[in-house]
Amino acid sequence: MSTLEQVLVINPPKELTFKGPFTSVVSSKLRLTNPSSKKVLFQVKTTAPKHYCVRPNSGVLEPNSQITVSVMLQPFDYDPNEKNSHKFMVQSMFVPSGSTESPDLLWKKANASQLMDFKLRCIFLQESDTFWTAASSNGLGISDDKVMDLIAYCEYLTKEEQKLRQENRRLREDNSAPVIICTIL
């Protein structure tokens, strides 16, 4: 697949959560942010296209801009014992400088080395699931966008913690010689 790291900042960063009941359309939001100084072409694909409606499912993100994508799960008979293998992929590529070609033509001309992709899995939660109850109806009136921001911030903090632990480990290995501490009286 692609060898380039995804340029877009995708929020939520790991999974799309759909909160039941699933007897009517259930929506989830996906925020795409382009932090680069170039235009980025994007498209959202799924392993289960008959189950979802995605709007917008493709487009061009201007430099330093963002877009919210609505992912709508169509009604279905939910079985909590059934394995869910639905996934989404956000595929993107830089728009060539000075290009006036249509996005469709750019996608057709693109080779694999230009593409960046990012995968998200889908989680289905019933209203009775404790996460859904705690995250959405805790009486604080927290919006879905705010919850997405908090999840992204937690992901960032986790990555920073991992970096610090690795650096700490490296420093311990580098300083394996005994340390002598002197106190001046």
Side-chain angles (χ1 to χ4, degrees), residues 9-171:
V9 176
I10 298 171
N11 197 353
K14 289 186 178 184
E15 53 200 29
L16 283 174
T17 303
F18 296 91
K19 303 157 192 159
F22 301 105
T23 54
S24 61
V25 174
V26 179
S27 294
S28 189
K29 303 285 185 194
L30 183 62
R31 187 181 309 143
L32 308 178
T33 304
N34 177 8
S36 76
S37 59
K38 297 178 181 179
K39 287 183 180 181
V40 174
L41 198 60
F42 76 90
Q43 60 185 355
V44 181
K45 297 179 175 184
T46 181
T47 57
K50 291 182 180 180
H51 292 275
Y52 297 92
C53 180
V54 180
R55 294 292 177 259
N57 61 0
S58 65
V60 178
L61 266 170
E62 296 293 325
N64 300 306
S65 67
Q66 69 180 15
I67 190 167
T68 300
V69 175
S70 290
V71 180
M72 293 155 278
L73 173 63
Q74 301 305 306
F76 72 106
D77 291 327
Y78 176 68
D79 180 359
N81 299 320
E82 190 176 301
K83 184 178 184 270
N84 167 28
S85 60
H86 296 186
K87 293 184 179 95
F88 278 85
M89 178 172 66
V90 177
Q91 201 167 42
S92 64
M93 63 181 262
F94 288 111
V95 175
S97 301
S99 175
T100 58
E101 295 175 319
S102 73
D104 288 338
L105 189 57
L106 289 172
W107 283 116
K108 286 178 186 171
K109 285 182 163 184
N111 64 46
S113 66
Q114 295 174 292
L115 302 179
M116 298 167 271
D117 57 53
F118 188 84
K119 295 178 182 163
L120 298 131
R121 65 187 189 112
C122 296
I123 303 293
F124 299 146
L125 297 174
Q126 287 287 29
E127 282 185 24
S128 59
D129 292 339
T130 52
F131 172 80
W132 163 228
T133 305
S136 66
S137 315
N138 59 10
L140 299 176
I142 298 174
S143 69
D144 285 346
D145 285 343
K146 190 65 174 174
V147 171
M148 285 180 13
D149 289 342
L150 291 170
I151 290 170
Y153 186 65
C154 288
E155 291 287 328
Y156 165 78
L157 289 175
T158 301
K159 286 179 185 175
E160 288 299 309
E161 178 188 25
Q162 289 172 349
K163 287 179 192 175
L164 289 171
R165 287 183 187 281
Q166 287 174 348
E167 184 177 347
N168 193 10
R169 211 173 293 120
R170 185 189 56 80
L171 288 171

